[in-house]
Amino acid sequence: MALFKMPSLGADMEAGTLVEWLVGEGETVRRGDIIAVVETQKGAIEIEVFKNGTVSQLLLQPGETVPVGTPMAEIDGGAAGEPAPAAPAPERAARLSAKPAEPERPVATAPPPPRAKAGERVPASPAARRLAAEKGVNLAALKGSGPGGAIVSADVLAAEQPAKLGAAPSRRGLDMDEMRKAIAAAMARSKREIPHYYLQHSIDLEAATTWLAEANAERTPPERLLMAALFVKATALALKQYPEFNGHFVDGRMERSESVHLGVAVAIRGGGLIAPAIHDADTLDVGSLMAALKDVTARMRAGRVRSSELTDPTATFSSLGDRGVEGLWGVIYPPQVALVGFGKVLSRPAVINDQVVPRPQVQVSLSGDHRANDGHRGALLLNAIDKLLQSPEAL
Amino acid sequence: MTEDEIKAVLFEEITAVAPDADPAAVPEEADIRDALDLDSMDMLNVVAALHDRLGVEIPEADAPAFFTIAGGVQYLASRLH
């Protein structure tokens, strides 16, 4: 028997609300199946199960809000040695988080709360502090259940009117206010904890532009490629070459990932963004990457996010597209250690064979976490992306 | 199809890509990418949907016609008649 637990779907998530079960007791599930919908600050997330078996008991009712790590269901079977299912998604043997459905550090992912001296701040997680301020709960009056007695959001919620927790959340869709809070928490943590450094490089796109125009001339509109697909592929291949930029910084050390699950920043119309993982992006051809980009863009905007897409990204890709500006300097999404940003493709003067000629160019940037990697290797990473984009036919 | 019918189809496909957008409120000569905040993926999706729905070949070189409502309607009208 295994317990299916409330997963941690982001650095700042402490609790989730079950919206609905998509399976019933006695049903057989296979790894990768979506079995529940959980409401978080990032909207209603489709939660995947990470083992084969039979749902023997559902432990939560829709509407219940529980902390990360709380058992949600019991799953029997799926004994060791059972053949892996024909997974609908590519096999993710090297998934960074070995047990994504059983997060071990639901609280430790938040910065350690400072020890309070007499008359100083009460130890509490940033999320709990924010929640307490919103709900008018006095932190000093609470007993913390987090590490070192720190107050976590669950403590604040417990001190509040219990009736409020039973309110049924929406089935689908995005709550933009909550998403803004989630972005604020993650980005504030990033800027607080991660010593960012930044590199910039200009890449000539004559070869890529020519190749793309020729490729698209033979394709119908639904099959056409965008330059972004080439950028994603080149970035993923370069991250594979320079693994110190691909993984998570956890408990004071870098955990490299064998797989490149590239988080692709998707702007939500009207504000906000999500960076879901395109799994094994380095192994997909550009046509498949284009299809994946279309798929995640459409689903993110409709508020249909899968849990693995939020937990798995090993680095972030951000492209401002053709209506953006020349360059961007991204904020790393913890616990990742790098973000690669692309500006808008522009025709710029370039010196080729001592002649100034107009060439399509793009500014690519790297935001690196100095705890995990350095500028020299970062420069090699950006140069690798450049080199890869000079041979687009090989991508 | 009349131009009004073509325009209605174009509006439907824009709205399918950007549900919050109101293409009818945009001047017909305005760049809808700016007016409705449509990126290259959105524009590709609009053109792809029109291709599938109307069976019109739209070479990539012609896609800029759809940057305005007037341009898009005129392009489709010339291909459908």
Side-chain angles (χ1 to χ4, degrees):
Chain A
M1 194 272 287
L3 290 174
F4 177 77
K5 298 178 181 178
M6 176 64 72
S8 173
L9 301 170
D12 51 319
M13 176 173 164
E14 290 182 342
T17 302
L18 177 67
V19 176
E20 67 172 304
W21 286 111
L22 302 179
V23 292
E25 290 179 354
E27 276 189 46
T28 302
V29 294
R30 300 206 306 178
R31 201 169 79 91
D33 286 354
I34 296 164
I35 67 164
V37 178
V38 164
E39 182 83 11
T40 75
Q41 283 184 313
K42 292 206 166 167
I45 312 294
E46 298 173 343
I47 308 295
E48 296 144 291
V49 67
F50 288 92
K51 93 189 277 292
N52 300 336
T54 303
V55 178
S56 55
Q57 195 178 359
L58 299 177
L59 304 171
L60 279 190
Q61 294 299 314
E64 283 190 81
T65 300
V66 296
V68 165
T70 303
M72 296 172 68
E74 288 179 5
I75 298 181
D76 284 338
E82 178 172 330
E91 183 69 14
R92 296 170 206 148
R95 183 188 293 281
L96 242 190
S97 177
K99 292 178 282 182
E102 301 173 75
E104 294 158 327
R105 294 178 289 266
V107 177
T109 52
R115 284 277 176 194
K117 295 174 189 164
E120 283 192 3
R121 291 193 344 156
V122 179
S125 75
R129 209 173 282 287
R130 189 182 61 232
L131 195 63
E134 281 171 14
K135 299 190 179 297
V137 172
N138 180 10
L139 282 177
L142 301 185
K143 186 174 183 301
S145 63
I151 295 162
V152 295
S153 294
D155 302 322
V156 178
L157 290 171
E160 226 219 339
Q161 289 288 340
K164 285 190 184 174
L165 297 178
S170 59
R171 165 69 179 82
R172 280 286 193 275
L174 299 168
D175 181 329
M176 301 319 293
D177 289 341
E178 288 302 313
M179 177 178 284
R180 178 54 51 197
K181 287 178 193 169
I183 293 169
M187 296 298 96
R189 178 185 159 198
S190 175
K191 283 288 186 174
R192 197 164 54 237
E193 293 183 359
I194 299 178
H196 284 68
Y197 68 90
Y198 305 96
L199 303 176
Q200 182 188 16
H201 182 57
S202 181
I203 297 179
D204 186 297
L205 292 177
E206 184 73 29
T209 305
T210 303
W211 182 87
L212 196 62
E214 287 173 2
N216 281 342
E218 298 168 1
R219 293 168 186 254
T220 63
E223 299 168 330
R224 264 172 218 158
L225 305 172
L226 292 173
M227 184 65 85
L230 298 184
F231 291 165
V232 166
K233 185 65 188 284
T235 300
L237 288 173
L239 286 166
K240 185 77 175 171
Q241 285 180 44
Y242 295 93
E244 62 267 57
F245 298 91
N246 185 55
H248 291 170
F249 192 88
V250 180
D251 293 340
R253 59 182 288 275
M254 166 78 181
E255 289 179 1
R256 296 181 180 185
S257 171
E258 284 293 314
S259 306
V260 181
H261 303 316
L262 196 55
V264 176
V266 174
I268 305 300
R269 293 184 60 81
L273 82 164
I274 307 180
I278 293 183
H279 291 98
D280 301 299
D282 58 318
T283 67
L284 301 178
D285 62 47
V286 288
S288 302
L289 278 174
M290 185 68 211
L293 282 171
K294 281 185 175 177
D295 172 55
V296 295
T297 303
R299 282 193 295 105
M300 295 310 112
R301 289 180 176 171
R304 292 185 48 235
V305 190
R306 293 174 194 150
S307 53
S308 65
E309 291 173 329
L310 290 183
T311 54
D312 288 354
T314 54
T316 300
F317 166 92
S318 184
S319 171
L320 294 174
D322 60 349
R323 293 184 52 253
V325 290
E326 287 182 51
L328 72 98
W329 307 101
V331 181
I332 298 167
Y333 188 69
Q336 296 165 38
V337 298
L339 179 149
V340 176
F342 285 82
K344 162 187 190 175
V345 179
L346 288 169
S347 182
R348 292 295 223 172
V351 179
I352 311 279
N353 297 328
D354 289 335
Q355 298 286 317
V356 178
V357 292
R359 304 273 281 197
Q361 294 178 46
V362 70
Q363 299 289 329
V364 58
S365 71
L366 170 71
S367 303
D369 180 343
H370 237 318
R371 300 172 303 176
N373 48 61
D374 300 295
H376 171 65
R377 297 280 288 174
L380 295 178
L381 173 82
L382 292 187
N383 278 324
I385 293 172
D386 186 342
K387 192 175 174 191
L388 287 158
L389 285 170
Q390 301 315 314
S391 303
E393 68 286 352
L395 288 173
Chain B
M1 289 175 82
T2 66
E3 290 207 353
D4 282 347
E5 287 167 341
I6 292 171
K7 192 187 292 182
V9 169
L10 179 58
F11 284 5
E12 273 181 34
E13 296 305 340
I14 291 172
T15 310
V17 167
D20 55 310
D22 182 7
V26 177
E28 296 207 347
E29 299 294 340
D31 190 324
I32 59 170
R33 295 173 301 167
D34 292 328
L36 302 176
D37 192 15
L38 303 177
D39 62 18
S40 49
M41 175 83 79
D42 296 327
M43 289 306 298
L44 181 55
N45 284 334
V46 169
V47 169
L50 292 168
H51 164 90
D52 286 348
R53 180 162 171 180
L54 302 175
V56 177
E57 291 298 324
I58 308 172
E60 192 184 36
D62 293 349
F66 292 88
F67 291 170
T68 66
I69 300 293
V73 171
Q74 195 179 355
Y75 184 88
L76 292 173
S78 71
R79 294 300 173 111
L80 287 168
H81 292 155

